[in-house]
Amino acid sequence: MAETAEPIQRALISVSNKTGLVEFCHSLTEEFKVEIISTGGTLKTLEEANISALEISQFTNFPEMMDGRVKTLHPKVHAGILARRDQDQKVMKENNILPIDLVVVNLYPFKETISKEEVTLEEAIENIDIGGPSMIRSAAKNNKHVGVVVEPDDYLLVLKEMKANSGYLSQEMRS
């Protein structure tokens, strides 16, 4: 059983590799009643599969902008991930910050992009991910309270652990 974390209640999901995404999110929402916050193409994929998700701009009350360059780089996102559940409740309440318990992110396909023969420097630069690594690092820093998944191959492991532990992830899984 998870030592200090709460059951997973809210997940931020923003992935470029959509492999297994629909099945994973269906299980999160249907079996565990997890609220999903999502971005751009991930949100579109979930909506097409009739999976309920909150658009990141609704969560932050700030629009995605600059062709998607700025969407998760927001204090409500990082405060929600970094919040120490055992000591930051006051500041969270004062600033209307909701905790994010699970971050599901995989990075832009930079290597694949630059491997293309016809790739331009501009296209390569646009595939340098900023928000993804920031969220991964925020989740890792707060692994006492937040899980992070970066590989679609790990979706089943996460679901298996949540099933075995009534919606919790162990510290071992979060580390």
Side-chain angles (χ1 to χ4, degrees), residues 3 102 143 146-149 154-162 165 168-175:
E3 298 79 18
L102 183 66
N143 70 76
V146 180
V148 62
V149 185
D154 292 337
Y155 293 164
L156 291 177
L157 292 172
V158 169
L159 292 173
K160 182 178 178 183
E161 173 135 344
M162 288 177 70
N165 295 314
Y168 288 81
L169 291 179
S170 67
Q171 181 62 55
E172 182 179 351
M173 180 68 80
R174 288 182 269 119
S175 297

Side-chain angles (χ1 to χ4, degrees), residues 125-172:
I125 288 171
E126 286 305 314
N127 274 274
I128 297 172
D129 199 325
I130 305 301
S134 298
M135 290 187 292
I136 291 167
R137 286 177 176 239
S138 291
K141 183 170 184 156
N142 199 22
N143 70 76
K144 182 178 178 182
H145 302 286
V146 180
V148 62
V149 185
V150 296
E151 296 289 337
D153 290 344
D154 292 337
Y155 293 164
L156 291 177
L157 292 172
V158 169
L159 292 173
K160 182 178 178 183
E161 173 135 344
M162 288 177 70
K163 285 178 187 175
N165 295 314
S166 302
Y168 288 81
L169 291 179
S170 67
Q171 181 62 55
E172 182 179 351

Side-chain angles (χ1 to χ4, degrees), residues 111-124:
K111 185 176 180 180
E112 291 82 357
T113 299
I114 63 170
S115 297
K116 295 176 187 172
E117 267 186 48
E118 304 288 323
V119 69
T120 64
L121 179 59
E122 184 177 309
E123 185 180 1

Side-chain angles (χ1 to χ4, degrees), residues 21-45:
L21 176 69
V22 169
E23 297 80 6
F24 179 62
C25 291
H26 180 76
S27 290
L28 287 177
T29 59
E30 296 302 313
E31 291 179 51
F32 300 103
K33 308 304 180 210
V34 172
E35 176 187 15
I36 295 177
I37 305 158
S38 192
T39 64
T42 302
L43 179 66
K44 183 178 180 195
T45 298

Side-chain angles (χ1 to χ4, degrees), residues 74-119:
H74 191 280
K76 281 194 171 186
V77 171
H78 289 278
I81 297 168
L82 287 165
R84 296 162 294 190
R85 298 345 188 239
D86 51 352
Q87 70 186 72
D88 292 327
Q89 294 89 354
K90 182 180 178 200
V91 73
M92 290 173 71
K93 186 175 181 173
E94 289 170 352
N95 293 283
N96 196 29
I97 294 167
L98 298 172
I100 296 171
D101 309 305
L102 183 66
V103 174
V104 182
V105 177
N106 49 62
L107 306 181
Y108 296 163
F110 184 76
K111 185 176 180 180
E112 291 82 357
T113 299
I114 63 170
S115 297
K116 295 176 187 172
E117 267 186 48
E118 304 288 323
V119 69

